[in-house]
Amino acid sequence: LYFGTFGDERETIDEVILAPRHDRSGALVGVDISAHGGIRVVERILMTLTQRGAMLSSPGEFSFAESCEAQGEWPAQIINDAMRRLMRTTTRRTAMFLMNQAEVLPAAYSHIVELSEAGNEDTARAELRSIIGRSHRARHLIVPPKISVIGPPNAGKSSLVNALAGRDHVIVSDAEGTTRDWVTVPAVIEGIELTLIDTAGLREAPSALEEIAIHRGRSASAACDLRLCVLDRSVEVTGNLRATLARLDDHDILVANKSDLPVGDGWTALLDKLATPALAVSAATGDGLDELRKAMVGGLDMDGFDDALPAEFDADRLAKLEVGYRTNSNSGTSLAEIIKALCARQ
Ligand SMILES: Nc1nc2c(ncn2[C@@H]2O[C@H](COP(=O)(O)OP(=O)(O)OP(=O)(O)O)[C@@H](O)[C@H]2O)c(=O)[nH]1
Ligand SMILES: [Mg+2]
């Protein structure tokens, strides 16, 4: 790093720090300039530089791929893409995942190409299949999964959302119908960035306004990756509760909230009858939340996911891989050709 002043013959524009960037062979490929700033100051610096023949790079564009290609590394496009995404990641886990992929994914593709070119098409297909399988799970590290929180009024949905997010995002009160529309709240669980969707309580015979909110909550939760159904374990089991349970499907996680309070009438019999076990938690004390987080990770199929094994992180390339995988045996195009086309520079 170099510290100094930036300016021309006439005047000093700002104090700056320069960070030269080198490629793997040690050649200078660019310079980062950090100034004290102010938009005008940065504009002046950039204008002075471009007038003297410098070229501006767009974010992430730093000719990484070219330097890899120059080293004979293949396929550089994927490394470049991983680096570009790295700059926009918000969790450490996704950043580590992308760093890993920049290394293992090109190697895995190269290996498949080698196998395919040597005539081992079956082994090549098997390797590609496992990459495709892992890639679908890996999507959760790239696109935050949506998890909706549903259940009867006053069950503690908003309290649970706040507890999982680690912050008081949504209003909590003992009046039923506190949440009138769905609210999205960001959270991170086991390094996975999530969007929690707090919905309006599912109540029988609600007012017209609530009806709209409940309906909107239902549509929001229909398009989600996972649902948590929150019930208040401290109140007596009623018809409304049974109706809520009847609407659930196998993938939903049942949460019996308020475990800090005495259990209400009818619960023991009800829980015995349920196919999926309900997790006892207390949004108020935090009891059972670790188990719930584990269940959520499992529900997203991210249990034991190994971030260091090759997985395609780009949706477009994944879609092309799947088509290639499905059609390759009868189209006469080898996997080597399919993968080479996929990694060609756009
Ligand atoms: N003792 C106890 N009280 C809780 C717990 N979770 C929530 N509550 C209380 O239950 C009441 C309702 O909580 P909310 O989080 O607003 O419930 P909700 O399901 O979002 O309610 P609506 O938005 O009205 O559908 C509040 O008074 C909370 O303080 C818990 O684990 N234990
Ligand atoms: Mg609420």
Side-chain angles (χ1 to χ4, degrees), residues 151-160 171-180 198-201 257-261 281-285:
N154 240 10
K157 299 177 295 298
S158 301
S159 305
L160 188 70
I171 300 173
V172 167
S173 91
D174 52 12
E176 292 198 347
T178 302
T179 307
R180 284 306 180 95
D198 184 17
T199 64
N257 189 34
K258 309 196 189 180
S259 64
D260 54 300
L261 300 177
V281 310
S282 166
T285 66

Side-chain angles (χ1 to χ4, degrees), residues 1-4 6 16-20 31-34:
L1 298 176
Y2 298 87
F3 172 71
F6 188 101
V16 292
I17 290 176
L18 298 189
V31 182
D32 283 348
I33 303 175
S34 309

